[in-house]
Amino acid sequence: DALGRLRDLPWSLDVLGSGPLTEPWKRRAERLGIADRVRFHGFLPRAEALRVMAAADAFVFPSLQEGWPTVVIEALSLGLPVVTTRQHGMADMIDETCGFPLRVDSPGQLVDDLTCALRILASDRVTLQSLSAGACRRAEHFSRDHQIRAINALYREALEAAGKTTQ
């Protein structure tokens, strides 16, 4: 619905994956008059999916029921600003430095906010570049090395709190 409001801007959408809602979403794109701008790829091998993602300007993931989607971290690592909801794990992954964490108060409000975020990304290259750089920085937070350091620090803190010393 948000993309249907943005026909005045140049954009295209690559939809990766498939499921029981694929056909209804294709019909919705037709009804909104945007089907010529939407490409449904279906399931792709990981390397191909990452290639498609790497060619994008942003990653849109307005999911309501994800726990801790690694695809969001993959998008950040590719320097893609992420437009997503503040639901579940995404609320901990995305902030205003790397994307648009959107409230979910009502369906209409979410579509309005999604439209606004996409309009900014499609028309403001400076903001897009700033969020892209922020995405790369944020991805570092989720890197294996950073996570190892964070876990080690927690263990050291726990041992010190228990009165033990670490070396």
Side-chain angles (χ1 to χ4, degrees):
D1 289 348
L3 291 172
R5 298 177 182 181
L6 298 172
R7 286 188 294 256
D8 61 311
L9 295 172
W11 60 264
S12 63
L13 175 67
D14 290 290
V15 180
L16 305 181
S18 62
L21 294 177
T22 300
E23 290 306 315
W25 283 118
K26 287 180 179 179
R27 289 191 298 275
R28 185 156 197 120
E30 287 287 341
R31 281 195 307 276
L32 291 170
I34 60 173
D36 61 326
R37 296 187 188 195
V38 181
R39 182 171 179 207
F40 288 87
H41 293 268
F43 174 79
L44 295 175
R46 184 174 185 277
E48 180 66 11
L50 290 174
R51 186 195 64 72
V52 172
M53 288 172 60
D57 288 325
F59 184 74
V60 182
F61 193 73
S63 180
L64 300 175
Q65 298 182 348
E66 300 295 330
W68 189 262
T70 56
V71 69
V72 172
I73 297 169
E74 289 174 325
L76 291 171
S77 72
L78 294 169
L80 297 176
V82 176
V83 181
T84 191
T85 59
R86 291 182 186 175
Q87 300 293 101
H88 309 289
M90 284 91 67
D92 296 322
M93 297 170 145
I94 304 303
D95 61 24
E96 290 76 13
T97 68
C98 61
F100 292 88
L102 305 177
R103 293 182 345 269
V104 182
D105 298 331
S106 71
Q109 165 270 317
L110 180 58
V111 171
D112 289 345
D113 290 352
L114 185 55
T115 302
C116 181
L118 295 175
R119 182 169 295 283
I120 290 168
L121 291 172
S123 61
D124 183 346
R125 298 307 281 180
V126 172
T127 297
L128 177 66
Q129 290 170 350
S130 175
L131 291 173
S132 179
C136 290
R137 287 189 301 274
R138 186 72 178 139
E140 176 57 31
H141 176 77
F142 300 107
S143 72
R144 180 185 64 202
D145 290 343
H146 182 273
Q147 294 301 309
I148 289 170
R149 287 190 303 273
I151 290 169
N152 284 338
L154 286 172
Y155 279 128
R156 273 195 294 292
E157 185 178 309
L159 289 171
E160 289 170 6
K164 309 216 186 277
T165 59
T166 62
Q167 297 191 17

